[in-house]
Amino acid sequence: MKIGVLALQGAFLEHAQMLERLGVETVEIRQLKDFQQSMSGLVIPGGESTVQLKLLHDLGLFQPIREAVNHGLPVFGTCAGLILLARHVVGDEVERLATIDMTVCRNAYGRQLGSFHTQHVMAGIPGEVPMTFIRAPYIQAVGDGVEVLAEVDGHIVAARQGHQLVTAFHPELTADLRVHQYFLNLIEPR
């Protein structure tokens, strides 16, 4: 199994390290030729969604990634990745990948000082999962076919639609491998 990690900006290295700890080969996606190789899934990391979106367009990656996800490529988006995959973002009508039927509030927890860490349950993972939120979004609403996996303080912070997984938090910034393993299980169920 090989997983592509979008390496344009954000915490891509940490995702690659988590996947490698799980015995999975990774490839950094920096340009179109990187994305054209065979892979089992894609991770879109946190970072700054506006910058990532601009780079996706500038590098010719936007449409190929959208088409691949719409045709079944499993994808895991964290924080900014969640925003890029959302069909709707409150107060922002910029075209994004829009592959998951959800409405998202950007920077919902405020500025950098509003960042926090907690532990909470996430469906499909036993016990509590460590969750680090950095200027995080949350999911305001989901459409048909979207499964809510976790909520914190009444806000949806993890969801799944088919082969797509999103979290408002950064599991790559903890030592806990279970969220990444959950994504791998979407690709190859145990």
Side-chain angles (χ1 to χ4, degrees):
M1 177 185 307
K2 184 185 338 183
I3 303 294
V5 180
L6 191 64
L8 304 180
Q9 191 261 345
F12 59 87
L13 182 59
E14 291 83 352
H15 278 289
Q17 291 170 340
M18 296 293 272
L19 292 165
E20 289 164 3
R21 285 178 55 205
L22 289 165
V24 175
E25 180 184 355
T26 63
V27 59
E28 292 183 358
I29 308 300
R30 295 180 183 275
Q31 53 192 332
L32 185 56
K33 74 175 187 172
D34 300 329
F35 188 67
Q36 292 170 329
Q37 59 189 296
S38 176
M39 63 188 73
S40 304
L42 175 68
V43 173
I44 303 176
E48 178 25 65
S49 63
T50 306
V51 172
Q52 289 183 14
L53 188 59
K54 181 184 182 324
L55 290 170
L56 285 172
H57 281 291
D58 290 352
L59 297 167
L61 284 163
F62 180 85
Q63 203 59 39
I65 288 175
R66 177 191 264 176
E67 288 174 10
V69 173
N70 281 331
H71 286 98
L73 179 70
V75 64
F76 176 21
T78 60
C79 198
L82 174 149
I83 293 168
L84 292 173
L85 293 168
R87 188 158 296 150
H88 305 285
V89 175
V90 174
D92 187 354
E93 295 308 314
V94 174
E95 180 186 26
R96 49 190 46 80
L97 296 170
T99 57
I100 299 181
D101 188 10
M102 62 183 177
T103 300
V104 172
C105 293
R106 290 180 65 153
N107 298 330
Y109 290 104
R111 302 171 97 70
Q112 199 77 14
L113 294 175
S115 301
F116 66 98
H117 180 83
T118 188
Q119 299 221 120
H120 219 281
V121 295
M122 180 170 161
I125 297 177
E128 291 190 332
V129 173
M131 299 178 178
T132 300
F133 295 85
I134 302 173
R135 289 181 44 211
Y138 63 71
I139 302 166
Q140 183 179 66
V142 298
D144 292 338
V146 179
E147 177 185 1
V148 172
L149 299 175
E151 293 184 45
V152 172
D153 298 330
H155 300 296
I156 303 167
V157 297
R160 171 186 172 191
Q161 182 173 347
H163 58 280
Q164 301 177 82
L165 172 66
V166 289
T167 62
F169 57 92
H170 293 269
E172 76 280 7
L173 299 180
T174 73
D176 193 312
L177 298 170
R178 293 177 296 160
V179 177
H180 286 80
Q181 184 63 60
Y182 182 97
F183 173 60
L184 297 178
N185 292 348
L186 293 180
I187 301 168
E188 290 185 0
R190 292 182 161 205

